[in-house]
Amino acid sequence: MRSPFTSNDLLQRALPHDVTEDVIFPAETVYGFVADGTQSNQTTMTAYAIQKGLKDARLLRYQFGENRFPDIETVVAAEWFGATTDVSPPAISHDGKILAWICKARKESDHKSGKDRAEQQEQERLFNGIWILDLHTEFSRPKRVWQGIAKFELPVAETQLRDNQRLLQFGTDGSLWFLGEKENDYSNARKSVAKRVNTFEIIRLSPDRLSCHRVLGESWSDFGYGLITSFVPTETPGTVLAALSFGREVSFWLFPEGKKIYTDTQPDSGLYLPGLVAASQNFSEYFLRSNSEGNGRWHRLRPDFSVGEPLLPSSVARNCDLGTLAATHDRVALNYLMNGQWNILSDSGEAIKEDDLSLAPLFWTGKNLWLLGIRPEAEPELYHFDSETKSIVSRTKNTPVTRAKFRAETIDFQLPSGSFGHLYLPKTESLTTPKPPLVLYIKGGPVSTQLRNSLPSPVRMLLASGFAVCSVNYRASSGQGLQHMRNGIGEFLGHADCEDIVEGVRWLKNNHMDNFDVNNLGVYGYSWGGYLSLQLAALYPEEFKVIACGGVISDWMIQQPNTEVRYYDFTLVGGMAGGWVKDLPDHAKKCSPVNIFLETGVKVPTLLVQGENDVDTPADQVRELEAKLKGISGKPNRLKIEWYQGQGHGFDQAHRWKFWQSSLLFLTKHLKPWNLIDNPAEDQHVYS
């Protein structure tokens, strides 16, 4: 029997009627709050932020007064940003007169029609570069002061919580500092093992906006293999403090004189936790975050830029990740991640924590510390902590939108290995099943953390579609100290992490069997999560009914020599001492899913999506997997591969949505019983 419904019909029924693309890509997201530093009043403040939608953006002014919630007005309208343009968080000059931001036209695909390419080029011509707005001139219009490609990271929630990487900043003299694209031939350098080429360099735009120059000047060749991870202008005009990563070394420099002020004392940066730098709001103090003695420690710098004492003791720093920092001339606050929950600590010993709220410090106004707050079901909000009343107060009330049209209950757990995890239960009604199927969401990384209160888009999609979701911060994850990371790399690679994931599933079966359907378990993962998804399909096929994954590693003998992140894989494969697969062939074979599949076949229905131009997890290994599985007989091969033409490791928005749709469709077919309401499968043999 075949259903009269098509795959598109199924997709529409798999998602509740009110769950649309706006749930997965929130219709409007507000990010990048900056404050007018000339104001020090306790009760009033002016802040600016970018409001980004699917098709447009605008720049908002938040005017805080005696009332709890601000007056909000648009100061730069959508027509100044373009329909397919990404916009950086804004920066504000120290005198509060000038606002600046970066625009960059999104490159959707390498395979476009002539008309589409022309439209892309027109977007780049019209919008790419740095723009400023004179805040003290009435009816001022935005002005482009530099045209080109400048680097910035879209501030997803976890990035905002974790990193002080403000990639557009004002100097004390009104100059603008940013990372500009370096134009040189680096094709040969890419072949140099364990070195990553930095295609961006620090640029200073003069206060009169008439000239710009490379800050490193003629000394750039000495640092060409360094990756700039963070920088901040100093009080001295023309001088910048920067953190550079050289693969297995992170060091801190003053430029343009090229003075090295600090190098990590042990090579823990092979796991690539970037060095960061920061300055107090009045430039009276400077700070750096190193990777020695744990997963990163903020240090206060002395007036001569020598490194002083850490802001947190070793006993705390060794068991956590340290994120962002906000400082005035006499007050400091920083956040640190422990067991998936962000905690805030000031140097006066005040602890700020709410279990259902992840917080990151942004700036001070008097005794009020302003914070970015994130809950699972809403967009980031602006909060402030009053040092006198010790209270945290929301000041934006999810303005202007709420993220998703669903609610989720969270259950936390910790395994004997020390790995912790979260079970998210959908609060949605199902017409056909009393208990939701469980999908295991495997995060990427591996040196990352699935935050309790920050739900990635695929998790939101699954919850909104009626699935329960589990995520385990397996060994090799950050957030629990250096030893926990070491326990998942080298000789433990691809096995200890999978053991944690399976142990987490079995623990949930034994302790929360009433919350989900224990007989319907699936897996979803991308990048490192895709690698572990294949490993689970190979090592534990009896545990799962279906797997959807993408951007995978299937053969380490192809992955490590050909990836653009060889310095990272050098540590992952060899442990803290490092190692190349050519010297560790037996170890590489044991960690490669392709070798297990050749012996057992692919027993679990598996969807694998791969970008043809992927150089992070090179596509050649998927081509090898496809060819080798076709060459075996007498063994199951339930692998389905979808190729995305013109896509690399990071899909453009259209292909991300396509990947999530395909994954949802595949998971729904195999985990939800057939019916004519929410799962009218076109091909019903999958249920036999």
Side-chain angles (χ1 to χ4, degrees), residues 208-229:
D208 58 12
R209 322 283 181 240
L210 297 178
S211 63
C212 63
H213 69 279
R214 295 158 56 183
V215 175
L216 301 189
E218 297 303 319
S219 65
W220 174 254
S221 60
D222 296 334
F223 308 100
Y225 290 119
L227 176 68
I228 301 168
T229 59

mmCIF file of all heavy atoms in Angstrom, residues 208-229:
data_model
loop_
_atom_site.group_PDB
_atom_site.id
_atom_site.type_symbol
_atom_site.label_atom_id
_atom_site.label_comp_id
_atom_site.label_asym_id
_atom_site.label_seq_id
_atom_site.Cartn_x
_atom_site.Cartn_y
_atom_site.Cartn_z
ATOM 1 N N ASP A 208 40.311 60.418 10.798
ATOM 2 C CA ASP A 208 39.625 61.226 9.786
ATOM 3 C C ASP A 208 39.022 60.373 8.674
ATOM 4 O O ASP A 208 38.438 60.895 7.727
ATOM 5 C CB ASP A 208 40.576 62.266 9.186
ATOM 6 C CG ASP A 208 41.818 61.629 8.547
ATOM 7 O OD1 ASP A 208 41.835 60.386 8.374
ATOM 8 O OD2 ASP A 208 42.768 62.366 8.238
ATOM 9 N N ARG A 209 39.162 59.022 8.778
ATOM 10 C CA ARG A 209 38.614 58.045 7.832
ATOM 11 C C ARG A 209 39.202 58.176 6.428
ATOM 12 O O ARG A 209 38.628 57.684 5.458
ATOM 13 C CB ARG A 209 37.086 58.144 7.710
ATOM 14 C CG ARG A 209 36.369 58.430 8.992
ATOM 15 C CD ARG A 209 36.245 57.235 9.891
ATOM 16 N NE ARG A 209 35.510 57.598 11.096
ATOM 17 C CZ ARG A 209 35.995 57.513 12.329
ATOM 18 N NH1 ARG A 209 37.210 57.048 12.513
ATOM 19 N NH2 ARG A 209 35.270 57.869 13.374
ATOM 20 N N LEU A 210 40.357 58.835 6.294
ATOM 21 C CA LEU A 210 40.929 59.065 4.972
ATOM 22 C C LEU A 210 42.018 58.065 4.598
ATOM 23 O O LEU A 210 42.380 57.953 3.432
ATOM 24 C CB LEU A 210 41.493 60.494 4.883
ATOM 25 C CG LEU A 210 40.464 61.622 5.046
ATOM 26 C CD1 LEU A 210 41.160 62.974 4.980
ATOM 27 C CD2 LEU A 210 39.370 61.517 3.986
ATOM 28 N N SER A 211 42.556 57.358 5.578
ATOM 29 C CA SER A 211 43.635 56.415 5.262
ATOM 30 C C SER A 211 43.557 55.222 6.199
ATOM 31 O O SER A 211 43.036 55.316 7.315
ATOM 32 C CB SER A 211 45.006 57.093 5.403
ATOM 33 O OG SER A 211 45.220 57.499 6.747
ATOM 34 N N CYS A 212 44.065 54.095 5.736
ATOM 35 C CA CYS A 212 44.148 52.915 6.587
ATOM 36 C C CYS A 212 45.467 52.206 6.305
ATOM 37 O O CYS A 212 46.049 52.342 5.221
ATOM 38 C CB CYS A 212 42.967 51.973 6.361
ATOM 39 S SG CYS A 212 42.841 51.277 4.716
ATOM 40 N N HIS A 213 45.958 51.465 7.291
ATOM 41 C CA HIS A 213 47.217 50.757 7.098
ATOM 42 C C HIS A 213 47.222 49.473 7.910
ATOM 43 O O HIS A 213 46.483 49.317 8.880
ATOM 44 C CB HIS A 213 48.405 51.636 7.488
ATOM 45 C CG HIS A 213 48.511 51.897 8.962
ATOM 46 N ND1 HIS A 213 47.771 52.858 9.596
ATOM 47 C CD2 HIS A 213 49.262 51.300 9.924
ATOM 48 C CE1 HIS A 213 48.058 52.864 10.881
ATOM 49 N NE2 HIS A 213 48.956 51.922 11.119
ATOM 50 N N ARG A 214 48.060 48.544 7.493
ATOM 51 C CA ARG A 214 48.244 47.292 8.204
ATOM 52 C C ARG A 214 49.052 47.566 9.455
ATOM 53 O O ARG A 214 50.147 48.106 9.405
ATOM 54 C CB ARG A 214 48.989 46.302 7.307
ATOM 55 C CG ARG A 214 48.216 45.906 6.081
ATOM 56 C CD ARG A 214 49.110 45.381 4.979
ATOM 57 N NE ARG A 214 49.929 44.259 5.415
ATOM 58 C CZ ARG A 214 50.830 43.675 4.639
ATOM 59 N NH1 ARG A 214 51.018 44.114 3.408
ATOM 60 N NH2 ARG A 214 51.536 42.661 5.077
ATOM 61 N N VAL A 215 48.523 47.151 10.578
ATOM 62 C CA VAL A 215 49.160 47.474 11.850
ATOM 63 C C VAL A 215 50.488 46.749 11.995
ATOM 64 O O VAL A 215 51.444 47.269 12.567
ATOM 65 C CB VAL A 215 48.214 47.128 13.022
ATOM 66 C CG1 VAL A 215 48.896 47.344 14.359
ATOM 67 C CG2 VAL A 215 46.954 47.967 12.935
ATOM 68 N N LEU A 216 50.563 45.531 11.481
ATOM 69 C CA LEU A 216 51.799 44.765 11.628
ATOM 70 C C LEU A 216 52.880 45.234 10.670
ATOM 71 O O LEU A 216 54.039 44.860 10.808
ATOM 72 C CB LEU A 216 51.523 43.272 11.417
ATOM 73 C CG LEU A 216 50.505 42.645 12.371
ATOM 74 C CD1 LEU A 216 50.504 41.136 12.194
ATOM 75 C CD2 LEU A 216 50.803 42.985 13.809
ATOM 76 N N GLY A 217 52.513 46.011 9.658
ATOM 77 C CA GLY A 217 53.493 46.585 8.756
ATOM 78 C C GLY A 217 54.402 45.556 8.114
ATOM 79 O O GLY A 217 53.989 44.471 7.727
ATOM 80 N N GLU A 218 55.686 45.880 8.024
ATOM 81 C CA GLU A 218 56.644 45.011 7.349
ATOM 82 C C GLU A 218 56.940 43.745 8.133
ATOM 83 O O GLU A 218 57.508 42.797 7.606
ATOM 84 C CB GLU A 218 57.950 45.784 7.089
ATOM 85 C CG GLU A 218 57.788 46.965 6.159
ATOM 86 C CD GLU A 218 57.219 46.556 4.821
ATOM 87 O OE1 GLU A 218 57.621 45.502 4.292
ATOM 88 O OE2 GLU A 218 56.343 47.283 4.314
ATOM 89 N N SER A 219 56.576 43.720 9.411
ATOM 90 C CA SER A 219 56.862 42.533 10.222
ATOM 91 C C SER A 219 55.853 41.416 9.996
ATOM 92 O O SER A 219 55.948 40.365 10.605
ATOM 93 C CB SER A 219 56.879 42.910 11.714
ATOM 94 O OG SER A 219 55.595 43.338 12.126
ATOM 95 N N TRP A 220 54.865 41.659 9.085
ATOM 96 C CA TRP A 220 53.799 40.678 8.910
ATOM 97 C C TRP A 220 54.336 39.306 8.538
ATOM 98 O O TRP A 220 53.801 38.280 8.950
ATOM 99 C CB TRP A 220 52.826 41.148 7.842
ATOM 100 C CG TRP A 220 51.785 40.110 7.532
ATOM 101 C CD1 TRP A 220 51.694 39.321 6.427
ATOM 102 C CD2 TRP A 220 50.709 39.725 8.372
ATOM 103 N NE1 TRP A 220 50.623 38.482 6.514
ATOM 104 C CE2 TRP A 220 49.997 38.704 7.705
ATOM 105 C CE3 TRP A 220 50.265 40.140 9.634
ATOM 106 C CZ2 TRP A 220 48.878 38.105 8.254
ATOM 107 C CZ3 TRP A 220 49.157 39.535 10.165
ATOM 108 C CH2 TRP A 220 48.476 38.526 9.475
ATOM 109 N N SER A 221 55.393 39.242 7.741
ATOM 110 C CA SER A 221 55.910 37.947 7.293
ATOM 111 C C SER A 221 56.319 37.073 8.466
ATOM 112 O O SER A 221 56.301 35.845 8.378
ATOM 113 C CB SER A 221 57.101 38.153 6.356
ATOM 114 O OG SER A 221 58.135 38.861 7.035
ATOM 115 N N ASP A 222 56.689 37.680 9.593
ATOM 116 C CA ASP A 222 57.085 36.896 10.768
ATOM 117 C C ASP A 222 55.888 36.237 11.433
ATOM 118 O O ASP A 222 56.041 35.322 12.225
ATOM 119 C CB ASP A 222 57.785 37.800 11.795
ATOM 120 C CG ASP A 222 59.084 38.378 11.259
ATOM 121 O OD1 ASP A 222 59.680 37.743 10.371
ATOM 122 O OD2 ASP A 222 59.471 39.453 11.729
ATOM 123 N N PHE A 223 54.676 36.727 11.126
ATOM 124 C CA PHE A 223 53.484 36.231 11.806
ATOM 125 C C PHE A 223 52.460 35.670 10.825
ATOM 126 O O PHE A 223 51.308 35.474 11.163
ATOM 127 C CB PHE A 223 52.838 37.368 12.615
ATOM 128 C CG PHE A 223 53.803 38.064 13.515
ATOM 129 C CD1 PHE A 223 54.370 39.266 13.144
ATOM 130 C CD2 PHE A 223 54.168 37.500 14.725
ATOM 131 C CE1 PHE A 223 55.271 39.906 13.972
ATOM 132 C CE2 PHE A 223 55.072 38.141 15.551
ATOM 133 C CZ PHE A 223 55.629 39.343 15.180
ATOM 134 N N GLY A 224 52.892 35.412 9.602
ATOM 135 C CA GLY A 224 51.969 35.002 8.554
ATOM 136 C C GLY A 224 51.235 33.716 8.838
ATOM 137 O O GLY A 224 50.166 33.469 8.288
ATOM 138 N N TYR A 225 51.814 32.849 9.675
ATOM 139 C CA TYR A 225 51.142 31.597 9.974
ATOM 140 C C TYR A 225 50.310 31.693 11.251
ATOM 141 O O TYR A 225 49.736 30.715 11.684
ATOM 142 C CB TYR A 225 52.161 30.465 10.127
ATOM 143 C CG TYR A 225 52.807 30.072 8.822
ATOM 144 C CD1 TYR A 225 54.180 30.189 8.639
ATOM 145 C CD2 TYR A 225 52.033 29.597 7.776
ATOM 146 C CE1 TYR A 225 54.762 29.833 7.442
ATOM 147 C CE2 TYR A 225 52.608 29.237 6.576
ATOM 148 C CZ TYR A 225 53.976 29.355 6.410
ATOM 149 O OH TYR A 225 54.548 28.997 5.221
ATOM 150 N N GLY A 226 50.268 32.858 11.853
ATOM 151 C CA GLY A 226 49.487 33.020 13.069
ATOM 152 C C GLY A 226 48.034 33.336 12.758
ATOM 153 O O GLY A 226 47.730 34.089 11.837
ATOM 154 N N LEU A 227 47.142 32.757 13.529
ATOM 155 C CA LEU A 227 45.717 33.039 13.398
ATOM 156 C C LEU A 227 45.336 34.045 14.475
ATOM 157 O O LEU A 227 45.474 33.776 15.667
ATOM 158 C CB LEU A 227 44.909 31.756 13.566
ATOM 159 C CG LEU A 227 43.391 31.909 13.543
ATOM 160 C CD1 LEU A 227 42.917 32.304 12.153
ATOM 161 C CD2 LEU A 227 42.721 30.604 13.972
ATOM 162 N N ILE A 228 44.883 35.231 14.073
ATOM 163 C CA ILE A 228 44.485 36.259 15.028
ATOM 164 C C ILE A 228 43.160 35.841 15.651
ATOM 165 O O ILE A 228 42.153 35.697 14.965
ATOM 166 C CB ILE A 228 44.343 37.624 14.340
ATOM 167 C CG1 ILE A 228 45.660 38.034 13.683
ATOM 168 C CG2 ILE A 228 43.894 38.685 15.340
ATOM 169 C CD1 ILE A 228 45.524 39.216 12.744
ATOM 170 N N THR A 229 43.154 35.628 16.954
ATOM 171 C CA THR A 229 41.937 35.174 17.628
ATOM 172 C C THR A 229 41.249 36.287 18.410
ATOM 173 O O THR A 229 40.075 36.163 18.721
ATOM 174 C CB THR A 229 42.247 34.004 18.579
ATOM 175 O OG1 THR A 229 43.220 34.419 19.549
ATOM 176 C CG2 THR A 229 42.788 32.805 17.809
#
